[in-house]
Amino acid sequence: MSKYKPKTLETNQDVTEFIEGVDSLKKREDAYTLLEIFEESTGYQAKMWGPSIIGFGTYHYKYASGHEGDAPLVGFSPRKAKISLYFATGDSDRAELLSRLGKHTSGKACVYINKVEDINIEVLKEIISQSIIFLQKLYPSEN
């Protein structure tokens, strides 16, 4: 039986250096805005996860299958096409908040936005807080 290795691990890459490497000036500006919002909302310092995700906080998950690992509580990535926002999956309360977020599309764990101006920052802060609370209840820290 091969042990699953998570692909996205916390790295020592510098967050500012990563943001400065983003091609689009607008995406860089939005990344700095989101960095401030996420740091302020979470109380956690930004860390790079894998080559392109800026994550905040961490939690340890363990599934019934035995698969386990560490992941950021919340995060974002200024990708070429859209900005990906990462939140907890499985939270049934998220739909109501997303209905008030503004212009976005969403997948299982990601919410995609074109630019920060398209969304309601206060609602984003609510989603960040709610996602962290949900994950901390689901995966209580063992400290």
Side-chain angles (χ1 to χ4, degrees), residues 1-84:
M1 184 174 97
S2 68
K3 180 136 172 61
Y4 171 85
K5 283 293 210 194
K7 290 181 202 74
T8 308
L9 300 170
E10 188 177 323
T11 71
N12 291 324
Q13 183 183 359
D14 184 79
V15 172
T16 303
E17 207 173 276
F18 168 72
I19 293 173
E20 285 301 317
V22 171
D23 287 342
S24 157
L25 173 62
K26 180 68 185 122
K27 285 242 170 29
R28 271 199 309 276
E29 289 170 351
D30 280 352
Y32 282 119
T33 300
L34 289 169
L35 181 65
E36 194 175 303
I37 291 165
F38 274 77
E39 282 187 338
E40 185 184 292
S41 299
T42 66
Y44 294 109
Q45 187 178 357
K47 302 274 187 190
M48 289 302 301
W49 287 76
S52 61
I53 295 174
I54 301 169
F56 301 82
T58 184
Y59 71 98
H60 186 79
Y61 60 85
K62 187 170 186 172
Y63 300 136
S65 64
H67 169 87
E68 64 181 289
D70 296 305
L73 289 165
V74 291
F76 71 91
S77 183
R79 304 209 184 262
K80 273 190 178 31
K82 293 182 181 280
I83 298 169
S84 301

Side-chain angles (χ1 to χ4, degrees), residues 38-141:
F38 274 77
E39 282 187 338
E40 185 184 292
S41 299
T42 66
Y44 294 109
Q45 187 178 357
K47 302 274 187 190
M48 289 302 301
W49 287 76
S52 61
I53 295 174
I54 301 169
F56 301 82
T58 184
Y59 71 98
H60 186 79
Y61 60 85
K62 187 170 186 172
Y63 300 136
S65 64
H67 169 87
E68 64 181 289
D70 296 305
L73 289 165
V74 291
F76 71 91
S77 183
R79 304 209 184 262
K80 273 190 178 31
K82 293 182 181 280
I83 298 169
S84 301
L85 306 174
Y86 299 96
F87 304 114
T89 58
D91 188 346
S92 57
D93 296 335
R94 190 168 78 175
E96 188 277 327
L97 287 170
L98 287 178
S99 73
R100 297 188 287 118
L101 181 62
K103 189 177 171 190
H104 73 281
T105 56
S106 56
K108 187 175 177 186
C110 292
V111 172
Y112 306 99
I113 63 170
N114 290 317
K115 55 190 185 295
V116 173
E117 289 83 46
D118 287 345
I119 61 169
N120 181 317
I121 299 303
E122 292 311 310
V123 174
L124 174 61
K125 290 177 181 178
E126 284 182 61
I127 295 171
I128 291 168
S129 299
Q130 181 232 3
S131 190
I132 290 172
I133 291 165
F134 176 79
L135 284 171
Q136 289 175 334
K137 281 183 190 164
L138 196 59
Y139 301 105
S141 119

